[in-house]
Amino acid sequence: MGADTRFSPAAWNPDNARALPLSRETEEGVVTGIADNRAPAPAETPHIEPGRALALVDFSPPSVGVGERLIRMAYRLGVPGAMLSGPMGKKARTRLLATVNNTLPGNRAAGTAIRAGHFLVHGAKTPIAQVDFAGAARVTPPLEKVVHSFSWLTDLEACAAREQAAPVAERILMAWLQANPKPPAKPGKGPAWSVGNTGARLANWLAHAPLILSGEKALRIRTLAHIAATARWLDRHVTNAEDGLAEVAGWVGIVAAGLLLPDGRPRRLYGEAGLIKALGELMGDDGGVLSRSPLAQMEAIALLVRLRGCYHATRRDAPPAVERVVELLVPPLLALTHGDGGLGSWQGGWAVDGADVEALIQASGVRTRPLRDVRQWGYQRVSAHKSILQFDTAPPPMPAQARFGCASTLAFEFSHGPHRIVVNCGGAASGGGLVPVRLEQGLRATAAHSTLTLDDANSTAVLINGMIGSGVTEVAVDRKTLPQETGSNATRLEASHNGYATRYGLTHQRILLLRDDGSELRGEDLLLPAGKKGKRGKVGFAIRFHLGPDVDVSVTADGKGAGLSLPDGSYWQFRSATDEGEMTVEDSLWVDGQGRPQATQQIVMQGMVSRGGGTFGWIIKKMN
């Protein structure tokens, strides 16, 4: 189980090569481990400075008096909310106190497919009539999440008026309730009752109540009773969540229920304290989630934006700590956007469309710039005129935090304008749509990223169930601005990792130098002995450059370079001046903004290198 896995879809056969040395300055680097009653629209959030370190105050529960602290403690100990808030403990009739104005974007195509009788997830259609809502017959993870979190309500709302969408939502809800008549004794009894799905489902039910509570009285009463039972279940089991993000989803559901259900004040006080604590454990000190996943970053933002809508529906402001966390989550996400506005493909994520990212940021109300001061988030970003460079300079996430952890250390992506030139394959988290589930583990491998591999092995072991094993434990990083002979400047990034040190006695060091006009990216990959004395013998190496879907590649006559043509008419050249090894162009794949696989190509420099070390330089240069 702990052995390295290899990236080996049918068309992938590892090859190798090398390249031209870069002069470099040695400098000690930094080591990193790792609404019918709607309230008026919130005031515009002021511009915030990205990269601010989190302070303890950011994760302080809302300030409350002694009486409210006692209520919170009593509720945590199991005293019913009605007894704590109602006269003589009289239980109020279950109903919703307000209607939420949903601001989160939905997918119109997915919503239209639901009206036509299908769930559409990452390009794959599944007839709703064939879905086992009880979860006994397991479906693919992406579909499982859509079905049991009820995130499809947002898509349905986006594609039709309430009068048209409500009957469809009620039919699906009725089938789900029939299969899940009551909560189980504990979490883990099928995908419907994981804490993450349950918390998201409760929040979605409350936020989209008009779609599921507008029909027959019997269904409305049954749904309200299930909402109340789900909230009580989460009260007891939220701390048994599968990971940090799932726990945040559970707390969001609890707070939303505390806001919108009668006798909810004790639950709200309890939920707010738990939510703030969970958010503090979810994020690093730069605002990036510790799973280092842009998908998880987006999900965390969406959960808090939805919760904010519940506060506004009841004419309350969200606690300052929640608003501050939303502000801190946005800059790291923006750091992974390319010129087309879409995301880079990192830690299982696909190249989420720019329109989807923009809609989420707009819903957040945060205006800011991409993260500059990188700590645990671990992605260096360089913006040079129309070119953007993203560089992974941190270890993979810890196993407890990873859902689709990838061995991507020292991989990079490079784009110019709206066109991506060098990418990572991405999309492990979309396995089960049009991306086959059997490729999920391969898409998490080092070979699925634009970086160097030794002996076709991962720099960090990729395990099943999204987990990461041993390998990279520390990364040394150095960033500086260097003057050029032409009078302009260039940004130089240098990083190294120890993922191959134990097995092969070699440390991988990568240097990237991007000119400020964005027209030239120079790179150098070095293999350095990890000990005082290098080991004897040779080992195979491969340096992969997965190309974007718009790139038309042709190998030069001498076999040491390749021409890269982009749709905007620009022409770039990839060049290797290494005498050893060879350079080839092979098939690859790239998972697009909707989580669908696209056939692409990759440049591979490959050969044999001495265990005493080696140097391989290369350049990507705009020629016109």
Side-chain angles (χ1 to χ4, degrees):
M1 288 240 324
D4 286 326
T5 58
R6 302 186 179 190
F7 186 71
S8 56
W12 294 64
N13 287 314
D15 298 6
N16 305 267
R18 301 174 172 173
L20 44 245
L22 256 184
S23 61
R24 62 187 182 90
E25 302 173 17
T26 58
E27 197 172 76
E28 201 61 29
V30 179
V31 176
T32 63
I34 62 144
D36 288 354
N37 319 11
R38 296 170 192 164
E44 185 177 8
T45 305
H47 178 85
I48 65 167
E49 190 66 25
R52 185 183 66 78
L54 301 184
L56 289 177
V57 70
D58 292 320
F59 300 112
S60 300
S63 179
V64 296
V66 175
E68 290 182 320
R69 285 201 296 271
L70 290 174
I71 290 173
R72 177 190 292 161
M73 182 177 67
Y75 191 81
R76 185 172 64 245
L77 294 175
V79 180
M83 186 176 294
L84 293 170
S85 58
M88 304 300 291
K90 183 179 179 181
K91 186 176 181 181
R93 178 173 60 89
T94 301
R95 60 191 178 90
L96 294 192
L97 303 179
T99 301
V100 179
N101 180 21
N102 179 53
T103 59
L104 287 170
N107 186 312
R108 291 178 60 88
T112 302
I114 290 171
R115 293 184 63 199
H118 297 83
F119 285 119
L120 178 64
V121 181
H122 303 318
K125 284 186 178 181
T126 303
I128 295 172
Q130 296 180 11
V131 174
D132 177 12
F133 291 102
R138 298 298 293 267
V139 297
T140 60
L143 177 60
E144 199 172 76
K145 185 173 182 179
V146 168
V147 169
H148 295 295
S149 71
F150 275 67
S151 63
W152 54 267
L153 285 172
T154 308
D155 301 330
L156 189 60
E157 185 179 76
C159 79
R162 182 198 300 180
E163 295 75 17
Q164 298 170 314
V168 178
E170 288 169 357
R171 284 196 299 271
I172 301 174
L173 173 64
M174 193 179 304
W176 191 92
L177 291 175
Q178 193 69 28
N180 300 275
K182 62 179 182 179
K186 58 183 180 180
K189 298 295 184 181
W193 296 102
S194 68
V195 170
N197 284 342
T198 304
R201 178 170 66 250
L202 181 57
N204 282 316
W205 279 349
L206 294 169
H208 298 286
L211 289 182
I212 59 175
L213 295 176
S214 300
E216 297 180 358
K217 182 178 179 180
L219 178 61
R220 185 165 65 251
I221 293 173
R222 184 180 180 186
T223 303
L224 285 169
H226 208 292
I227 287 174
T230 300
R232 291 192 298 270
W233 186 88
L234 278 173
D235 288 342
R236 298 191 303 271
H237 299 297
V238 64
T239 54
N240 297 323
E242 50 272 27
D243 60 24
L245 184 59
E247 184 174 347
V248 168
W251 286 114
V252 165
I254 289 172
V255 177
L259 290 164
L260 296 170
L261 295 180
D263 298 327
R265 181 166 168 249
R267 174 177 281 134
R268 173 177 61 81
L269 293 171
Y270 165 68
E272 285 173 343
L275 174 62
I276 301 306
K277 181 176 182 291
L279 287 171
E281 295 171 351
L282 178 74
M283 303 162 56
D285 63 356
D286 52 13
V289 295
L290 296 182
S291 67
R292 305 191 63 231
S293 165
L295 296 181
Q297 196 85 6
M298 291 184 70
E299 187 174 342
I301 295 171
L303 285 167
L304 297 181
V305 169
R306 176 152 286 141
L307 182 61
R308 178 201 285 162
C310 296
Y311 276 101
H312 292 163
T314 57
R315 300 188 180 279
R316 290 183 176 89
D317 290 328
V322 172
E323 294 290 1
R324 177 58 65 188
V325 168
V326 174
E327 294 172 357
L328 290 165
L329 285 168
V330 172
L333 183 67
L334 293 178
L336 296 185
T337 55
H338 283 287
D340 60 2
L343 295 180
S345 302
W346 300 104
Q347 292 302 319
W350 53 90
V352 177
D353 280 346
D356 295 335
V357 177
E358 183 181 3
L360 178 63
I361 300 305
Q362 185 174 352
S364 77
V366 177
R367 297 184 303 114
T368 185
R369 297 185 297 273
L371 178 71
R372 293 180 302 177
D373 189 3
V374 178
R375 297 181 183 88
Q376 282 135 333
W377 188 234
Y379 299 104
Q380 295 284 340
R381 172 191 174 94
V382 182
S383 180
H385 194 47
K386 293 183 179 181
S387 296
I388 292 175
L389 171 68
Q390 298 173 9
F391 189 25
D392 183 355
T393 56
M398 298 296 289
Q401 296 147 355
R403 286 191 178 183
F404 297 95
C406 296
S408 59
T409 309
L410 300 198
F412 77 96
E413 291 200 348
F414 181 59
S415 63
H416 182 75
H419 305 298
R420 302 183 186 218
I421 300 175
V422 178
V423 298
N424 300 307
C425 296
S430 68
L434 292 182
V435 175
V437 174
R438 66 180 182 275
L439 290 187
E440 178 250 302
Q441 202 161 353
L443 290 170
R444 297 165 52 216
T446 305
H449 299 80
S450 293
T451 187
L452 175 145
T453 61
L454 285 180
D455 197 27
D456 200 27
N458 295 321
S459 56
T460 299
V462 174
L463 311 179
I464 62 173
N465 298 326
M467 293 298 183
I468 284 289
S470 61
V472 179
T473 57
E474 64 179 33
V475 179
V477 186
D478 178 57
R479 177 171 179 152
K480 59 169 68 110
T481 300
L482 300 178
Q484 301 293 289
E485 295 178 357
T486 58
S488 62
N489 292 326
T491 301
R492 181 178 181 274
L493 297 171
E494 178 179 345
S496 62
H497 75 70
N498 63 344
Y500 292 120
T502 301
R503 286 167 290 176
Y504 304 106
L506 293 169
T507 297
H508 176 206
Q509 182 177 18
R510 169 164 273 184
I511 302 169
L512 300 176
L513 187 72
L514 178 62
R515 286 175 43 169
D516 280 358
D517 63 2
S519 66
E520 181 179 290
L521 174 65
R522 289 180 176 267
E524 185 177 31
D525 286 287
L526 300 92
L527 291 169
L528 307 173
K532 294 181 179 180
K533 186 176 181 181
K535 295 185 178 181
R536 300 178 63 181
K538 291 189 175 183
V539 62
F541 76 91
I543 306 174
R544 290 180 169 82
F545 303 85
H546 299 278
L547 302 176
D550 297 332
V551 178
D552 184 15
V553 58
S554 57
V555 180
T556 58
D558 63 359
K560 296 295 182 182
L564 310 175
S565 300
L566 301 185
D568 61 4
S570 62
Y571 182 79
W572 296 68
Q573 187 174 58
F574 175 91
R575 190 71 189 171
S576 163
T578 302
D579 294 331
E580 300 177 20
E582 60 177 342
M583 193 206 81
T584 59
V585 174
E586 302 179 0
D587 291 335
S588 180
L589 65 86
W590 175 76
V591 181
D592 69 11
Q594 299 302 317
R596 302 167 301 193
Q598 305 292 333
T600 58
Q601 293 180 292
Q602 61 173 318
I603 296 172
V604 185
M605 298 164 54
Q606 61 183 351
M608 301 296 292
V609 61
S610 166
R611 294 203 180 197
T615 301
F616 318 101
W618 46 268
I619 184 172
I620 301 174
K621 185 173 183 179
K622 191 172 187 288
M623 303 305 293
N624 59 348

